[in-house]
Amino acid sequence: MTNIKLDWQALQPNNAPYQALFNSVAELSPITMDRVQPRLHSGLSLFCQTALRQPFMLLKAEESDVYLSLLSDTISSLLPKDCPDIGGYYQTEHQTITWHPSGEGLFAPIKRVVYCEWIEPEQLFGNLYTYQEVIQLQPGLIHQVNGGVLILPLRTLLSQPLMWVRLKQMIIQRRFDWLSHDENRSLPLPIPSMELDLRLVLVGDRFSLEELQAIEPELASSALYGEFELDMPFHEEDDLAVWCRYVNGLIQQQNLPSLSADAWPELIRLAVRYTEDQCRLPLDIQWLQQKLEAAANYHQEQQITQHSLQQAEDNRTWRHGYLAERSMDEILKGQILIHTQGSVIGQINGLSVLEYPGHPTPLGEPSRISCVAHLGDGEFIDVERKVELGGNIHAKGMLIMQAYLISELKLDQPQPFSASIVFEQSYGEVDGDSASLAELCALISALSQQPIDQQIAVTGAVDQFGYVQPIGGVNEKIEGFFRLCHYRELTGHQGVIIPTANIQHLCLSQDVVNAVKNEQFHIWAVGHVSEATPLLTGMLYYGSQGHDSQDYDPQDHDPQNHEPQDHEPQNDPQKEHLLAIIRERITQANIQERPRLPWFLHWLG
């Protein structure tokens, strides 16, 4: 097996080929929504057609002013120029109110598209006032946009169900009826209804859309659907040029300083870190505005430079760094035991991402995972699950890992060893399957009695054939272990094992990149558990026969930016391997456990 060590160039996006583009970005014109959101733009175009009788559209997007304003501007540009003439006015005479249809008057539409982040029934439907026996009708938002499109956040309507029911019925019936906002009181006198021609765009996140789907299944299934895509693919220079023009448009809209040529690579690095994918760039307006506005505080010569972006990011990291510093102090003081030196049987450094309630930034931390094996009935105990601190996904990963190892051993006799696996000093719920590779390696170590190098941390999920699958938060996990090794002094032998499939998600801090470049820290990408165990134990996983159960070839994975691991164990046919050691221990344990027979019955043995 060939263990793969990543070169430092693979740890961040490569922006060198696009320098000519960065030098000319300032000359590129902004682009419209149809270039970066073609599916959403197509849905909005269809919704705005006068021939379409569908008055509702559901749209997945943030319920914030910046997105609602963008939708309003886009819909305004797509609506046909000729609007229906449905205005009019109410006339009051002797306690009698009469409706007079007309294109002009108090209730004539004054806007084609209207949106708001929050609205009350009085603001939406209008109100009726009585002063000295004089009745006055105040138009609401629904009157101002009659004949056009109303854009509302779903949370506004879901939190006011009566308002939603009334609005829905009026839109479907195409009639506006005056109703009392106080359920215990009626209107002082009848008011005629009026014609209503209104289309409604409901904007919300997936949870809000799910709630609406539960209470309005027919509407949800018949309404048009669209969603604001939060990222776009990035495979060639043309994709990057479109994204740069998109950012230029945001800069102009917000009257921010322009980006210098050296700022674009840094913004792309931050963007890739945000999407966690070197092949995708973010379209999230709020995130981009936040980064650009923060960097504008450090702009130089009326431009946002690379230094501006770095200063803003360093300041953000420092402001959010209290919990990370406290956690690191606990490890360095020995209150939380994490070993980064020596070798231990059945103990491994796993990697976790912690999300503290109310804290905006996930934190990567190493976790000590231990496994003990002893004579028993072959049961593998997940301690976290036993004490109800393990989530369902974590339990699934444990069962998959156990099934793989039992299948891999191909035993023709009972398994005499029981084992228990636990996250040491973990007092909250553990979930996710990203530790299953580390747990499997710890179990193999405990069964084979071969120590694991504590200078290496592991993350990755495994399937029932031992292949390593991608996980989330890979950058935070690597940086969390690197930070601990850096505080304890880098030895040149420390590093992290990650899944091969996570290479495209790497966008590490410059400190980690520099350490890898100087051979002070290492990152290995593996595609199968048989590639990870030799790094951790110094012993081959399989013997000279190769893979016992699956024809696994590490060359099936992309070898770009990889180089062979320096201290790879040699595939010596005479050298003992881990699976053989485990099988031998099982055989010996079964022999020793045979019942002792009287001397005259020894021939039965």
Side-chain angles (χ1 to χ4, degrees):
M1 287 295 178
T2 301
N3 291 301
I4 298 170
K5 184 170 68 175
L6 297 186
D7 190 68
W8 66 272
Q9 285 101 340
L11 308 184
Q12 285 184 345
N14 180 20
N15 295 314
Y18 312 115
Q19 193 56 51
L21 172 63
F22 299 148
N23 293 333
S24 61
V25 166
E27 303 170 5
L28 300 178
S29 60
I31 57 176
T32 54
M33 177 190 277
D34 59 310
R35 291 294 304 276
V36 292
Q37 301 284 344
R39 282 185 278 256
L40 174 58
H41 191 269
S42 175
L44 292 174
S45 300
L46 182 62
F47 181 71
C48 291
Q49 291 179 9
T50 54
L52 185 68
R53 291 295 181 182
Q54 175 53 259
F56 299 102
M57 181 173 186
L58 304 180
L59 202 151
K60 187 267 172 186
E62 292 292 328
E63 302 176 39
S64 61
D65 183 80
V66 62
Y67 284 97
L68 298 177
S69 175
L70 175 63
L71 290 170
S72 176
D73 294 341
T74 304
I75 292 174
S76 296
S77 66
L78 293 173
L79 282 174
K81 303 303 180 182
D82 52 331
C83 292
D85 186 6
I86 53 176
Y89 65 96
Y90 282 98
Q91 183 178 11
T92 305
E93 290 183 356
H94 307 295
Q95 300 298 310
T96 301
I97 300 179
T98 308
W99 169 252
H100 296 276
S102 170
E104 299 178 356
L106 179 62
F107 289 83
I110 59 175
K111 297 180 181 178
R112 305 186 72 200
V113 183
V114 174
Y115 75 91
C116 59
E117 289 189 75
W118 181 265
I119 196 166
E120 299 289 343
E122 294 86 350
Q123 298 170 290
L124 179 61
F125 299 122
N127 215 339
L128 181 147
Y129 296 98
T130 303
Y131 179 70
Q132 295 180 350
E133 298 184 355
V134 176
I135 296 176
Q136 291 184 339
L137 298 178
Q138 180 184 18
L141 195 62
I142 201 171
H143 304 102
Q144 299 176 27
V145 74
N146 193 2
V149 178
L150 178 60
I151 305 172
L152 291 178
L154 261 174
R155 64 173 178 230
T156 298
L157 300 176
L158 293 174
S159 60
Q160 302 177 88
L162 180 59
M163 184 176 74
W164 159 242
V165 171
R166 289 180 172 179
L167 176 62
K168 181 188 71 169
Q169 288 302 115
M170 290 178 185
I171 293 175
I172 292 174
Q173 295 172 1
R174 300 174 64 88
R175 300 295 299 178
F176 174 80
D177 295 302
W178 288 89
L179 299 169
S180 174
H181 301 304
D182 187 348
E183 297 180 21
N184 299 320
R185 297 177 61 184
S186 60
L187 293 172
L189 71 165
I191 306 177
S193 62
M194 57 175 277
E195 181 185 358
L196 181 66
D197 182 10
L198 185 65
R199 304 182 199 192
L200 180 64
V201 178
L202 297 173
V203 181
D205 58 21
R206 297 210 185 277
F207 296 107
S208 297
L209 291 169
E210 180 187 28
E211 188 176 347
L212 179 72
Q213 190 176 39
I215 62 177
E216 297 282 0
E218 293 182 3
L219 184 147
S221 62
S222 62
L224 281 175
Y225 176 80
E227 61 180 280
F228 193 97
E229 300 172 22
L230 294 179
D231 54 41
M232 61 173 283
F234 170 33
H235 300 298
E236 53 190 23
E237 186 170 335
D238 289 344
D239 299 327
L240 183 57
V242 169
W243 186 75
C244 291
R245 294 173 63 188
Y246 175 72
V247 174
N248 273 349
L250 295 178
I251 289 174
Q252 289 186 12
Q253 291 173 13
Q254 301 300 316
N255 295 319
L256 295 170
S258 61
L259 288 173
S260 64
D262 68 343
W264 286 101
E266 180 64 19
L267 182 61
I268 291 171
R269 190 189 70 80
L270 295 174
V272 168
R273 176 68 178 239
Y274 175 67
T275 61
E276 294 188 320
D277 193 334
Q278 294 185 13
C279 298
R280 303 203 72 84
L281 294 170
L283 299 174
D284 187 338
I285 301 174
Q286 293 188 142
W287 182 85
L288 286 167
Q289 282 189 2
Q290 182 185 40
K291 293 300 177 186
L292 294 171
E293 289 171 357
N297 294 324
Y298 304 93
H299 73 274
Q300 300 170 330
E301 298 179 357
Q302 300 304 313
Q303 278 193 319
I304 295 175
T305 64
Q306 177 185 17
H307 183 67
S308 305
L309 288 164
Q310 289 174 344
Q311 273 192 303
E313 190 64 15
D314 291 344
N315 181 264
R316 186 193 66 84
T317 303
W318 173 74
R319 285 185 287 108
H320 297 178
Y322 171 73
L323 288 178
E325 291 177 4
R326 289 288 293 115
S327 177
M328 186 59 61
D329 285 344
E330 294 294 310
I331 298 176
L332 296 175
K333 291 176 181 178
Q335 301 302 305
I336 298 176
L337 300 180
I338 301 291
H339 297 138
T340 54
Q341 295 288 336
S343 299
V344 182
I345 294 175
Q347 178 176 293
I348 194 168
N349 289 322
L351 297 172
S352 304
V353 173
L354 305 181
E355 295 185 5
Y356 291 97
H359 195 273
T361 308
L363 306 177
E365 284 188 358
S367 302
R368 184 164 57 102
I369 301 172
S370 64
C371 177
V372 295
H374 52 81
L375 290 174
D377 56 3
E379 180 184 10
F380 293 113
I381 300 173
D382 178 5
V383 175
E384 307 296 334
R385 189 67 170 175
K386 285 283 186 180
V387 298
E388 298 183 355
L389 283 178
N392 293 332
I393 299 177
H394 176 260
K396 177 183 177 182
M398 284 286 295
L399 292 173
I400 290 173
M401 172 265 293
Q402 295 165 14
Y404 160 72
L405 186 58
I406 292 173
S407 172
E408 189 78 322
L409 290 173
K410 295 182 178 178
L411 299 177
D412 55 3
Q413 53 193 323
Q415 156 67 282
F417 290 105
S418 293
S420 64
I421 302 177
V422 66
F423 275 74
E424 300 287 359
Q425 294 183 283
S426 171
Y427 308 108
E429 181 174 324
V430 175
D431 205 0
D433 61 352
S434 64
S436 56
L437 174 60
E439 291 166 332
L440 176 57
C441 293
L443 178 59
I444 292 171
S445 169
L447 292 175
S448 65
Q449 290 295 289
Q450 301 302 311
I452 288 176
D453 189 351
Q454 301 299 294
Q455 297 181 98
I456 301 176
V458 180
T459 185
V462 293
D463 65 11
Q464 290 197 116
F465 303 104
Y467 297 112
V468 183
Q469 301 172 133
I471 44 83
V474 64
N475 295 297
E476 289 81 2
K477 291 176 178 179
I478 294 172
E479 290 169 357
F481 188 67
F482 171 81
R483 192 162 53 246
L484 174 59
C485 295
H486 177 73
Y487 277 117
R488 286 180 172 174
E489 189 175 356
L490 296 172
T491 64
H493 301 289
Q494 297 148 333
V496 174
I497 294 175
I498 66 170
T500 301
N502 277 121
I503 294 176
Q504 73 179 66
H505 305 141
L506 292 176
C507 187
L508 294 163
S509 66
Q510 195 60 43
D511 291 344
V512 180
V513 175
N514 292 338
V516 172
K517 185 177 183 179
N518 297 328
E519 295 289 319
Q520 296 177 306
F521 194 76
H522 309 281
I523 299 174
W524 296 275
V526 300
H528 192 268
V529 63
S530 59
E531 293 182 277
T533 49
L535 279 168
L536 295 165
T537 64
M539 296 194 66
L540 290 173
Y541 185 71
Y542 299 112
S544 59
Q545 298 298 320
H547 199 303
D548 287 6
S549 62
Q550 298 292 325
D551 296 328
Y552 174 74
D553 183 2
Q555 299 303 319
D556 291 341
H557 298 283
D558 182 11
Q560 186 177 3
N561 293 327
H562 299 168
E563 58 185 41
Q565 195 264 336
D566 295 338
H567 50 281
E568 176 191 352
Q570 298 299 313
N571 195 356
D572 184 354
Q574 305 301 321
K575 187 174 181 179
E576 231 174 0
H577 57 93
L578 292 170
L579 290 183
I581 294 174
I582 296 174
R583 292 191 186 110
E584 179 62 23
R585 285 197 71 207
I586 290 172
T587 300
Q588 294 299 322
N590 281 323
I591 292 175
Q592 293 175 7
E593 285 190 352
R594 288 182 180 179
R596 297 182 63 83
L597 300 175
W599 63 271
F600 55 85
L601 294 178
H602 280 184
W603 62 274
L604 294 175

